[in-house]
Amino acid sequence: MKLSTIIPLLPLASATPTQQARPHPSLNKYPGLDILAKRAGLLYFGTAIDNVVLNNSAYISIAHNSSEFGQVTPSNGQKWMYIEPSRNNFSYSMADAIVKPAIRARQMRRCHTFVWHNQLPAWLEGGNWTKAELTGVLENHIRNEARYFGNGCYAWDVVNEAFEDDGSFRDSIWLRVLGKEYIELAFRFARKYVGRRVRLYYNDYGIERVNVKSKVVAAMVKDFIDRDIPIDGIGLQAHFTVGRAPTYDDVKAALNLFIPLGVETALTELDVRIQLPDSLEKQALQAQVYANSTKACMDVGDCVGVTVWDFWDPVSWVPETFPGYGNACLFDDGLKRKQAYYAVSDVLRDDGE
């Protein structure tokens, strides 16, 4: 997700009739999602937070409510273009604006991401690097960022989206200069500098079904383990669309691809976009996708948690990236809980009782 326009602190608008959250008969009986997730055996239920909305106090009061979200991911602030905007010049202010309040709120942090093909600074993307030079740049970046955040991250998304949908390696400066070994290098450097307690994840989209891509990722994990390359987890991003989303069985089967390999899994960027205009019927389908995805994680032994890719519709990445789609989150424009929120709450509560 790319950084977009700053959201001003404005009075919260009322939702349109088709966007109204479904009234729930026992709302007062519902604790936050993270409390329910822990009761159901997960480590956390979390959210991503972007810097564009940090001036909205109503939003922040929910984002850093640890009973609702026990884990936080900075959407953008830890990506290369913001951490190292010029060579060997490191800036942590964007990340700190999210990480430090999360620490005060006693929320776990998933840190995101050391290596990606996107959101790279011009000095890096446009450089004429030798293999040795770019290897040094990669190690230097991971060393500085890892040492700054120390052991404060539960997990790091070490490499993000290295494969195309057909299972081939995605074209990037990393692949062109370093070859496919860049993935292995990143994990070795990450382990060297973050310490033993932090989980090292590979993170990708489109692996929430058993398909060519998910099988290639599983093969990579097996190869890494066979060769003692450190890897601890697989993040299934879970960016879904109403009408085309994986079923409960699909997601569960994909998660189960990785369990025999001895790594943990997580749904790391869950959202469910709707083709606009919205309707109550589409919201009901969206709620079922959220519930199915959460339930699949709960029912797979080593799936540790679910993170939504922000929880408030106005700051979702979806409308900018997928024109004609939106309303992908758990809370509507007026920061009211949607049907999807209650569906997740129900499935977590039912399992925890």
Side-chain angles (χ1 to χ4, degrees), residues 150-217:
N151 289 324
C153 304
Y154 168 78
W156 262 103
D157 290 332
V158 178
V159 176
N160 198 49
E161 301 176 4
F163 296 99
E164 299 282 6
D165 290 348
D166 64 2
S168 62
F169 288 99
R170 182 184 300 279
D171 181 52
S172 69
I173 188 173
W174 309 113
L175 184 67
R176 292 192 297 271
V177 179
L178 301 180
K180 66 180 183 180
E181 293 79 14
Y182 84 86
I183 305 174
E184 172 182 339
L185 284 172
F187 276 90
R188 290 193 186 278
F189 293 150
R191 176 58 74 220
K192 182 177 180 180
Y193 296 113
V194 302
R196 292 284 171 184
R197 291 190 302 168
V198 179
R199 273 71 164 181
L200 305 182
Y201 269 67
Y202 175 77
N203 191 57
D204 213 331
Y205 68 90
I207 59 173
E208 302 86 6
R209 292 180 171 94
V210 176
N211 55 28
V212 172
K213 188 175 184 179
S214 60
K215 289 178 181 178
V216 165
V217 174

Side-chain angles (χ1 to χ4, degrees), residues 27 29-47 62 65-71 270 290 294 298 305-308 310-311 329-331 337-349:
L27 176 59
K29 298 180 180 179
Y30 279 64
L33 297 179
D34 189 69
I35 291 175
L36 291 171
K38 287 182 168 68
R39 289 178 185 172
L42 299 179
L43 284 180
Y44 60 80
F45 193 98
T47 186
I62 299 173
N65 177 354
S66 60
S67 65
E68 197 76 87
F69 300 115
Q71 172 270 314
L270 176 62
Y290 266 105
T294 302
M298 292 161 54
V306 176
T307 304
V308 294
D310 222 305
F311 60 91
C329 300
L330 297 178
F331 286 69
R337 295 172 176 87
K338 294 162 61 174
Q339 291 189 55
Y341 177 98
Y342 294 116
V344 171
S345 182
D346 285 344
V347 77
L348 290 170
R349 185 187 62 165

Side-chain angles (χ1 to χ4, degrees), residues 201-270:
Y201 269 67
Y202 175 77
N203 191 57
D204 213 331
Y205 68 90
I207 59 173
E208 302 86 6
R209 292 180 171 94
V210 176
N211 55 28
V212 172
K213 188 175 184 179
S214 60
K215 289 178 181 178
V216 165
V217 174
M220 180 190 71
V221 173
K222 184 178 185 304
D223 174 62
F224 278 18
I225 291 171
D226 289 345
R227 295 191 293 121
D228 293 324
I229 298 167
I231 186 167
D232 304 306
I234 296 296
L236 292 77
Q237 290 183 10
H239 294 297
F240 296 148
T241 306
V242 167
R244 300 199 300 270
T247 65
Y248 162 84
D249 289 334
D250 288 333
V251 178
K252 185 177 178 182
L255 291 167
N256 275 321
L257 271 181
F258 302 102
I259 302 308
L261 302 175
V263 294
E264 67 184 42
T265 56
L267 303 183
T268 54
E269 305 184 16
L270 176 62

Side-chain angles (χ1 to χ4, degrees), residues 1-19:
M1 172 184 164
K2 296 182 180 180
L3 197 66
S4 53
T5 308
I6 297 294
I7 301 293
L9 182 57
L10 297 171
L12 296 174
S14 298
T16 62
T18 59
Q19 294 174 315

